[in-house]
Amino acid sequence: QANPFQHRICRVFSTSDNEDSSMSFEDFLDMLSAFSDSATSDVKSHYAFRIFDFDEDGILDRKDLEKLVNCLTGQGEESQLSNVDMEQLIQNILEESDIDKDGTINLAEFQHVVSRCPDFASSFKIVL
């Protein structure tokens, strides 16, 4: 089944000057390296953060978190959370992750949260 983040993964690993997220063979190897079992948690969390940073501004804000939740729950109307449920979930995420209480999650905060998830490194991989 298709990965809901496939376009973001291609965009993050692409070094192409075009906006089409095309990948060279070297880009593909970099991606496989980041998703390999031998990649460190820091490397994996860095790329996960970039994949989740949909607007590529260096922080995860409410819009990024909403897109992330929609990717995880499905894009169809029947699977989308209500506005109230979405707001509550985003608030809960920020309460757990936003250490400096600025309303966003930066890379250091994201890596701190990921460090408390023992399964993250083993689950952030591509199985061929």
Side-chain angles (χ1 to χ4, degrees), residues 78-122:
E78 69 282 349
S79 62
Q80 284 189 339
L81 297 178
S82 70
N83 289 343
V84 172
D85 289 341
M86 179 66 77
E87 182 57 35
Q88 183 62 54
L89 180 56
I90 290 172
Q91 189 59 39
N92 291 347
I93 292 169
L94 289 172
E95 283 176 15
E96 286 291 319
S97 309
D98 183 16
I99 297 168
D100 62 9
K101 303 300 182 205
D102 67 350
T104 64
I105 302 168
N106 61 37
L107 177 59
E109 292 168 331
F110 182 80
Q111 288 180 320
H112 175 73
V113 169
V114 167
S115 72
R116 299 182 338 212
C117 301
D119 294 337
F120 172 75
S122 63

Side-chain angles (χ1 to χ4, degrees), residues 3 9 34-37 39 41 44 48 52 114 117-127:
N3 185 321
I9 291 169
F35 282 100
S36 75
D37 286 332
S41 252
K44 288 177 180 283
F52 299 157
V114 167
C117 301
D119 294 337
F120 172 75
S122 63
S123 64
F124 192 77
K125 64 182 177 182
I126 294 177
V127 178

